[in-house]
Amino acid sequence: MSEVRRVVVQDCPGGPLLIRGADEVVGGDGTVGKVERPVVALCRCGRSERQPWCDASHRARRRRKKD
Amino acid sequence: MRALEPDDRRPRAVPEARAFGDVDEPLRDRDFQLALWILYELHYRGFDGVDPHAEWDPLLLVSRAGLERTMEHALRELVASAGTADPVEKTGDNPADDVVLALTRMTVADGPSTVSGFLQRRATRTEFCQYLGERAIYHLRESDPQSFVLPRIDGPAKVALAELQYDEYGGGRPERLHATMFARALESLDMPTDLASYLPDVSGETLASVNVMSLFALNRRLHGAAMGHLAAFEATSSLPCGRIARGARRLKLPESVLDYYDEHVEADAVHEQLAIRSICGNLVAADPGLADDVLFGAATCLEVDGMAGEALMRRWLDERERRPEPAKRSRAAG
């Protein structure tokens, strides 16, 4: 009997969600991201340029609107 | 790896005998760092024509220990004077949470790092290749030092380090081994893929940035520092790699170069969380006494990598100063 594979979501406060065991992540616009690594990080701040994946943009200093 | 050849461009192939303590700035001294690098290499791949027993030759080990003492002393002085690793601020009863918070704060990007910003916007193709050559001594061996730490830790921290290393080592796909991806990038630019080709030109500071990983990984008492270093390294990688990838697109470099840096934007965004929370957090939860070592390692990474970046920027700006015209032309052409 095969065990049901577990998908685990880990909360990283101030950062992304880490997901283990998923095959696909469907983005807000419906595009399907294939999971190709053992753990993936999902953007939560909305600033990543590689949605749905985290690109560490949550760490970058926010641009001030002065220009 | 292939044996090193004497450097004919210098008056002496072997520098004058120098005592270990007789080095003013060990972290910038190329002879010092190259000597240490060669001794470490005996533990990784060794050299063609060099007796493999040299790895455990007592005289060489004594020499290595002497150089390491000088190196560690210099690192501790550097970190103390920079004030990067203040003692862990106690915010509650949980030392692991304190360390996770401290590591996150230390590594918050406060603007584009000079080198990646330069590569993104200004570097010529030649300068971009110089960058790859300078980084080759690490990336051709990417993640190998940290593997020495696996048998020295236990529990959730060990599981997390194994998970991170599995990803670095291709996640079951040899063609995605990060060191192999970097070699492919070099190949696509007709650059050599053997590490020995890059040693003659690499700066003392860059050698130091690689040696510090071996120092921490090969000395069991410093395994906390090794993991703190890893956390800072991963946490300061995604954003610069994104900028470097944009630079590679601007210069229309081959796909394998883009592939390497794109891979690192996503991979290191994951690794940053694994290293800070799952490795360092769990390490300190199991042994709160490691907190200061972890932060020392992280601070060392930030300071030494910063020094190596500054050395490279100086080299580029000096070369442009000497040849302002070609640089201007290629900018206009780019």
Side-chain angles (χ1 to χ4, degrees):
Chain A
M1 279 228 293
S2 65
E3 242 181 82
V4 177
R5 196 177 63 181
R6 291 201 316 159
V7 177
V8 179
V9 180
Q10 184 183 344
D11 179 9
C12 304
L17 290 174
L18 291 188
I19 317 242
R20 290 178 181 79
D23 292 319
E24 292 176 344
V25 171
V26 184
D29 59 356
T31 49
V32 177
K34 290 251 182 277
V35 172
E36 289 181 336
R37 49 179 9 104
V39 194
V40 289
L42 289 195
C43 171
R44 273 201 295 187
C45 69
R47 296 166 66 198
S48 170
E49 288 175 16
R50 293 166 196 256
Q51 297 290 345
W53 317 120
C54 168
D55 69 354
S57 288
H58 59 275
R59 284 180 154 272
R61 183 188 276 175
R62 284 174 189 276
R63 256 182 226 139
R64 293 206 187 98
K65 286 203 171 169
K66 60 181 176 186
D67 39 298
Chain B
M1 62 179 276
R2 89 175 142 85
L4 304 180
E5 285 154 26
D7 190 344
D8 296 332
R9 293 170 304 180
R10 297 186 179 205
R12 283 180 305 272
V14 178
E16 72 276 24
R18 295 161 73 181
F20 296 141
D22 191 21
V23 181
D24 291 335
E25 291 189 281
L27 301 175
R28 298 183 186 278
D29 190 308
R30 214 186 101 85
D31 287 339
F32 178 94
Q33 293 297 336
L34 188 58
L36 192 52
W37 188 88
I38 289 169
L39 290 168
Y40 283 141
E41 180 63 9
L42 296 171
H43 298 277
Y44 291 99
R45 316 283 171 94
F47 300 93
D48 296 345
V50 172
D51 183 351
H53 288 98
E55 182 184 0
W56 298 106
D57 181 296
L59 288 177
L60 292 179
L61 293 178
V62 168
S63 307
R64 195 187 102 190
L67 295 173
E68 285 182 322
R69 259 196 303 279
T70 304
M71 171 98 169
E72 188 178 339
H73 182 73
L75 292 172
R76 291 195 186 274
E77 275 195 332
L78 175 71
V79 166
S81 67
T84 342
D86 293 330
V88 184
E89 196 183 323
K90 304 274 186 299
T91 51
D93 299 330
N94 190 333
D97 288 350
D98 292 342
V99 161
V100 166
L101 188 66
L103 286 173
T104 307
R105 281 188 181 155
M106 279 167 80
T107 52
V108 161
D110 58 353
S113 90
T114 331
V115 169
S116 63
F118 182 84
L119 291 168
Q120 178 183 352
R121 295 195 185 86
R122 294 177 59 196
T124 61
R125 187 185 170 102
T126 308
E127 286 161 340
F128 199 104
C129 290
Q130 283 169 349
Y131 174 76
L132 296 179
E134 188 78 9
R135 296 300 305 151
I137 62 157
Y138 176 64
H139 291 316
L140 287 172
R141 299 288 173 73
E142 199 161 318
S143 305
D144 282 349
Q146 291 78 20
S147 291
F148 280 113
V149 180
L150 275 168
R152 294 175 174 163
I153 59 177
D154 214 345
K158 188 192 196 91
V159 172
L161 177 58
E163 190 172 52
L164 192 158
Q165 293 295 82
Y166 182 64
D167 203 28
E168 290 282 348
Y169 288 150
R173 294 171 297 170
E175 74 279 6
R176 302 300 291 176
L177 194 63
H178 284 181
T180 302
M181 291 177 71
F182 189 76
R184 260 203 312 273
L186 293 176
E187 217 165 35
S188 72
L189 292 162
D190 293 321
M191 294 172 72
T193 55
D194 70 313
L195 201 153
S197 300
Y198 297 101
L199 277 175
D201 290 320
V202 78
S203 70
E205 288 89 340
T206 295
L207 282 167
S209 74
V210 177
N211 282 339
V212 71
M213 295 190 211
S214 296
L215 169 74
F216 291 163
L218 290 172
N219 287 275
R220 187 170 58 85
R221 72 185 165 85
L222 295 171
H223 71 274
M227 296 297 92
H229 184 287
L230 176 64
F233 188 87
E234 298 289 352
T236 51
S237 172
S238 281
L239 293 172
C241 283
R243 288 192 281 269
I244 297 170
R246 284 194 279 279
R249 287 198 167 81
R250 171 180 61 83
L251 291 166
K252 300 186 174 57
L253 298 184
E255 199 57 39
S256 351
V257 181
L258 302 178
D259 194 28
Y260 177 83
Y261 286 101
D262 281 338
E263 158 73 9
H264 281 75
V265 174
E266 283 173 26
D268 294 348
V270 176
H271 297 174
E272 160 188 333
Q273 304 300 334
L274 290 180
I276 292 183
R277 292 165 196 281
S278 309
I279 300 177
C280 292
N282 283 317
L283 206 59
V284 173
D287 181 356
L290 286 174
D292 288 342
D293 281 359
V294 167
L295 295 192
F296 164 62
T300 300
C301 174
L302 300 174
E303 294 303 325
V304 176
D305 287 6
M307 276 174 62
E310 281 165 22
L312 193 54
M313 277 308 300
R314 267 200 310 277
R315 176 179 160 191
W316 283 328
L317 297 180
D318 285 353
E319 282 175 7
R320 283 190 171 202
E321 193 90 348
R322 282 200 298 275
R323 293 195 309 269
E325 286 313 306
K328 269 185 202 154
R329 265 206 298 278
S330 67
R331 255 179 95 180

